[in-house]
Amino acid sequence: MSNTVPNITTEEVMNDRITPRWARDIYRLLPIKSQYILSGNIRDSFLIKNDSCGYQTVSLLELLWRVLQSYGFKRIEVYDPIGMVMQAYPPDSSTSQSQMLLTEFTNKITSKLDGQDRIAMVIDFASRIAHNDNLFPVCDKLATRVTAKVIQGDTKEISFYNPLIWLFNKDGDIPPWYGKDNHRLYRQEIPRPDLDQRLKIADTNIAFLSKRLGQDIDDESRKAYSKIFAGMSDGFTLSEMSDVAKLAAISKNIELHDIDDAVRSYKTGDPTLDNPWKSGELRKRINNADEAINKQVRGQQTAVRHALDILKRSVMGLTGAQTSSSNNRPRGVLFLAGPTGVGKTELAKSLTYQLFQDNDAIIRFDMSEFSQEHSDARLLGAPPGYVGYEGGGELVNAIRQRPFSLLLFDEIEKANGKILDKFLQILEDGRITSGKGETVYFSECIIVFTSNLGIMREEQELEGGRIVVKTKPVVTWEDDYATVNKEVRAGITAHFNTVLKRPELLNRLGNNIVVFDFINPEVADEIYGIMIDTISERIVSEHHSKLVLSDSAKEFLRCGCKVDLSHGGRGIGNCLETMLINPLARELFKFEPQQLKNKTVTVTNVHSISATGADAESYEVEIQVG
């Protein structure tokens, strides 16, 4: 090969700016940089134009060769420290790979980089080389000691270095001291492909699929499918997109208009197997879910209707349809807010069963356990080098095991603000990267948050000469729903905007906030009746006895449970435990088991034995067994 630079045109190497920026930078910086450190997405394929004015993908090594040969380089020599192999690229009959120890390569590299031959050297799998190996200081010194070679171009002399190119998995694998303050060294983390690149490769893959599946499509349809494919592949490499197309080509159940299912199958498994979103019965169940859910969640018709509207949108695949990234977002997001004990968690459980016909499909996290900043390691997994790294995070493991599920984050306001930041990416992009560097996807799940924000507020008062903080109610069970709805939403807005200073997270929730009302006296009667029946069923199952309450006992208990409805159904249950269950257990404990079997236990009277009624010992029951 002559020592003359060939004619180089921007169109050949930099065509239409399709060649990645890092490759264009190497092309541009060859006269002044002697070493290049590439990390990140180095194992991907890269988009270039082909001779037919279409697009194709090439490996990183081939792309480097296309750039370097334009300047008259003869070859690239690639060293693999894992296999201890040195081989030339491009391979031909005159070149062969050879075994070479790292120490031999270290000794050889000086003459290669400072020689007259136009070659480049690539150190692959550099992340696997120990930081204390002699190769690093030798190459660090070479970066400034080697000289550029003057070669004659068509019109002028040009000086170029024989470049040394390092390939690291990630930037953190590079010794921190390497190349410090070295102006001859260029570092670049190669990003994953952007939307424009994904659109181009999607168009190529759709054309490939059309041919393989024998399905002719017009240009408009091809562009539409390509847009869906590229949108759902956010975060994918170009190689992964090609893999999706290959999977779709060999599948017997996926057609071009189901390209979104092909992407989901790559993320979460075969979409034709056990996919509740594809179930023919799902729409029927959701259509009839109103009555079933209202039987479990009493007195919250407005909240249930709002939640079901959001759920129907999820079933139809229209969540976030107004955005370009909608296909990657979770199927649905609900923020259930309102007083305690009114059915927020119960609604989440009911929705889970209606969706998946499986009560175990709910994955629940009590966010009061994540009040510390470092608690995010429990969710996503500890960083490399920390205790528990190998185990992964609870959230990551759970969603990987059950991609079709309902994620319930209970009492979200109790979580540390830093942890809430993790939800920004989940709600927007439907994915997150674990501490182990693995990507998990949330595109097939429903995410539900619950919160008591807006019900109580803290106020400072002067008491005994010092300032104390007291919690006071903002709304009570005597307020109408319009007032409760207004105050709760105002409390949520203030918390995210003022306390957390994260309005962007509130914006992600949008209009998915569902406000629950306090239970009213009529609903309290219904809940009271259900709980009495549940207590009776327990008496039957535990003691084979029948429980009967006299009319006066029923009325006394009913009135006692309705004195304060601010704690909802949970408050009614607590009252029944204090007024009935504890004193009843005390009386039944006096009998031998055989004395109660097949008998009727009649509660004839319930009365208070103290003026305050402040604890469980404040009530007694009178019973008859017969």
Side-chain angles (χ1 to χ4, degrees):
M1 184 175 292
S2 65
N3 198 34
T4 302
V5 180
N7 291 328
I8 301 170
T9 64
T10 304
E11 290 74 22
E12 289 174 342
V13 180
M14 307 299 162
N15 49 71
D16 195 29
R17 300 184 69 82
I18 293 304
T19 301
R21 177 181 174 182
W22 61 267
R24 288 187 271 121
D25 280 343
I26 291 178
Y27 175 90
R28 179 174 57 87
L29 297 174
L30 276 171
I32 61 172
K33 301 292 183 182
S34 61
Q35 292 189 30
Y36 302 83
I37 294 179
L38 305 180
S39 60
N41 191 32
I42 58 175
R43 306 297 170 195
D44 196 6
S45 298
F46 299 93
L47 199 65
I48 62 169
K49 276 189 174 179
N50 57 30
D51 295 335
S52 62
C53 297
Y55 300 96
Q56 69 181 83
T57 55
V58 296
S59 68
L60 180 141
L61 204 56
E62 184 174 349
L63 183 56
L64 284 174
W65 175 240
R66 291 171 66 93
V67 171
L68 293 171
Q69 70 175 337
S70 304
Y71 280 124
F73 281 79
K74 294 180 179 180
R75 65 186 180 278
I76 300 175
E77 292 190 357
V78 184
Y79 179 70
D80 173 3
I82 297 177
M84 294 183 295
V85 173
M86 171 74 81
Q87 57 187 351
Y89 188 92
D92 56 39
S93 58
S94 63
T95 61
S96 61
Q97 66 180 29
S98 59
Q99 293 287 328
M100 182 180 292
L101 296 175
L102 187 57
T103 51
E104 295 177 280
F105 176 73
T106 304
N107 294 332
K108 185 179 182 180
I109 196 170
T110 302
S111 61
K112 290 286 186 179
L113 295 182
D114 213 19
Q116 294 300 315
D117 285 345
R118 305 300 299 147
I119 67 168
M121 302 196 75
V122 171
I123 303 178
D124 204 356
F125 300 101
S127 296
R128 300 296 178 260
I129 303 175
H131 284 195
N132 61 354
D133 192 277
N134 191 48
L135 176 64
F136 286 111
V138 167
C139 293
D140 192 32
K141 182 178 179 181
L142 282 174
T144 55
R145 292 293 180 86
V146 295
T147 57
K149 309 302 180 298
V150 178
I151 58 177
Q152 184 64 45
D154 287 348
T155 59
K156 59 182 178 179
E157 291 184 343
I158 308 176
S159 298
F160 293 104
Y161 288 94
N162 280 350
L164 174 63
I165 302 171
W166 299 82
L167 301 183
F168 287 91
N169 290 346
K170 57 182 184 294
D171 189 69
D173 294 338
I174 306 167
W177 53 265
Y178 189 79
K180 188 174 179 60
D181 299 325
N182 192 333
H183 68 282
R184 295 293 182 205
L185 191 142
Y186 172 78
R187 298 172 72 138
Q188 174 65 53
E189 182 158 359
I190 301 176
R192 297 208 169 202
D194 57 23
L195 178 60
D196 185 58
Q197 291 175 313
R198 298 200 311 274
L199 278 169
K200 288 180 171 62
I201 200 64
D203 190 73
T204 300
N205 282 321
I206 290 295
F208 160 77
L209 271 177
S210 174
K211 184 177 180 180
R212 285 292 299 269
L213 299 174
Q215 300 175 17
D216 294 330
I217 55 172
D218 54 38
D219 288 345
E220 185 176 349
S221 298
R222 191 188 73 252
K223 290 179 180 179
Y225 296 147
S226 297
K227 185 176 181 180
I228 294 173
F229 190 7
M232 291 196 67
S233 301
D234 184 25
F236 278 28
T237 64
L238 297 185
S239 296
E240 286 177 316
M241 292 183 68
S242 296
D243 289 343
V244 170
K246 291 175 184 176
L247 282 178
I250 63 176
S251 174
K252 297 180 180 179
N253 302 307
I254 293 180
E255 298 183 2
L256 282 174
H257 57 75
D258 294 323
I259 189 63
D260 56 334
D261 283 339
V263 180
R264 290 191 181 100
S265 72
Y266 187 86
K267 292 178 178 178
T268 59
D270 190 342
T272 62
L273 300 175
D274 303 320
N275 185 344
W277 304 110
K278 294 294 181 180
S279 168
E281 296 295 317
L282 179 59
R283 290 181 64 176
K284 186 184 297 184
R285 288 201 306 270
I286 298 302
N287 195 46
N288 299 323
D290 198 317
E291 182 178 354
I293 294 177
N294 277 308
K295 285 182 179 179
Q296 290 185 267
V297 184
R298 301 284 176 146
Q300 303 294 340
Q301 287 82 1
T302 301
V304 170
R305 189 183 310 114
H306 189 174
L308 283 176
D309 284 344
I310 295 172
L311 202 62
K312 289 172 183 176
R313 184 179 69 198
S314 304
V315 172
M316 299 305 294
L318 295 177
T319 298
Q322 72 279 8
T323 68
S324 60
S325 61
S326 62
N327 287 323
N328 293 315
R329 291 181 173 185
R331 282 279 182 166
V333 177
L334 285 165
F335 191 97
L336 308 181
T340 181
V342 295
K344 298 188 292 294
T345 302
E346 193 63 33
L347 176 59
K349 294 178 180 178
S350 300
L351 293 177
T352 301
Y353 185 77
Q354 293 298 324
L355 282 171
F356 307 112
Q357 295 290 282
D358 182 2
N359 291 324
D360 292 334
I362 187 170
I363 302 171
R364 182 174 178 178
F365 294 91
D366 186 345
M367 299 312 289
S368 62
E369 299 178 9
F370 298 89
S371 59
Q372 301 300 316
E373 183 175 338
H374 61 76
S375 301
D376 64 336
R378 279 186 56 190
L379 282 179
L380 305 180
Y386 285 78
V387 175
Y389 164 68
E390 298 83 0
E394 294 176 20
L395 173 60
V396 169
N397 292 339
I399 202 65
R400 184 181 288 114
Q401 293 166 9
R402 298 199 71 143
F404 302 101
S405 58
L406 185 143
L407 288 173
L408 174 61
F409 298 96
D410 233 346
E411 299 185 284
I412 189 66
E413 73 276 7
K414 294 183 180 179
N416 186 274
K418 295 290 186 182
I419 293 178
L420 293 181
D421 290 340
K422 308 298 181 184
F423 290 103
L424 288 172
Q425 185 179 357
I426 293 175
L427 296 179
E428 183 68 19
D429 301 326
R431 61 184 170 88
I432 202 164
T433 303
S434 70
K436 297 170 70 174
E438 301 167 329
T439 301
V440 290
Y441 299 94
F442 296 80
S443 55
E444 302 305 314
C445 69
I446 298 286
I447 295 180
V448 176
F449 304 99
T450 70
S451 171
N452 298 322
L453 288 170
I455 301 300
M456 309 290 287
R457 68 165 168 257
E458 292 182 346
E459 292 184 354
Q460 293 183 344
E461 290 186 0
L462 189 62
E463 189 175 281
R466 59 191 180 92
I467 297 177
V468 296
V469 178
K470 292 188 176 181
T471 303
K472 293 188 177 182
V474 178
V475 287
T476 69
W477 65 273
E478 296 174 322
D479 291 315
D480 59 25
Y481 178 71
T483 302
V484 174
N485 184 52
K486 178 183 176 182
E487 293 297 336
V488 167
R489 289 181 182 276
I492 294 171
T493 301
H495 182 77
F496 281 99
N497 290 346
T498 306
V499 179
L500 295 179
K501 294 181 174 60
R502 286 172 176 80
E504 65 277 12
L505 184 56
L506 180 64
N507 195 37
R508 296 294 196 283
L509 297 173
N511 198 34
N512 295 328
I513 298 173
V514 178
V515 178
F516 282 61
D517 195 4
F518 286 94
I519 62 172
N520 58 42
E522 292 75 19
V523 174
D525 287 338
E526 294 179 23
I527 296 174
Y528 164 80
I530 293 171
M531 289 185 174
I532 290 294
D533 291 341
T534 302
I535 295 170
S536 300
E537 291 170 3
R538 181 66 66 86
I539 294 292
V540 171
S541 64
E542 293 290 335
H543 303 288
H544 305 286
S545 304
K546 180 181 179 181
L547 179 66
V548 175
L549 299 178
S550 68
D551 291 342
S552 61
K554 281 185 179 180
E555 190 59 28
F556 182 83
L557 291 171
R558 187 192 306 275
C559 293
C561 289
K562 293 167 59 177
V563 170
D564 182 4
L565 298 180
S566 60
H567 296 291
R570 195 173 290 116
I572 295 174
N574 292 337
C575 285
L576 282 176
E577 187 176 80
T578 300
M579 300 174 69
L580 175 62
I581 296 175
N582 288 344
L584 179 60
R586 189 165 59 244
E587 292 300 316
L588 294 179
F589 198 79
K590 298 174 182 178
F591 293 84
E592 295 295 329
Q594 62 270 19
Q595 292 179 291
L596 295 174
K597 190 173 182 179
N598 298 323
K599 298 298 177 74
T600 297
V601 177
T602 303
V603 177
T604 59
N605 190 26
V606 181
H607 58 87
S608 172
I609 58 173
S610 71
T612 61
D615 57 76
E617 298 300 321
S618 299
Y619 292 89
E620 283 187 350
V621 298
E622 297 174 8
I623 64 172
Q624 294 178 355
V625 179

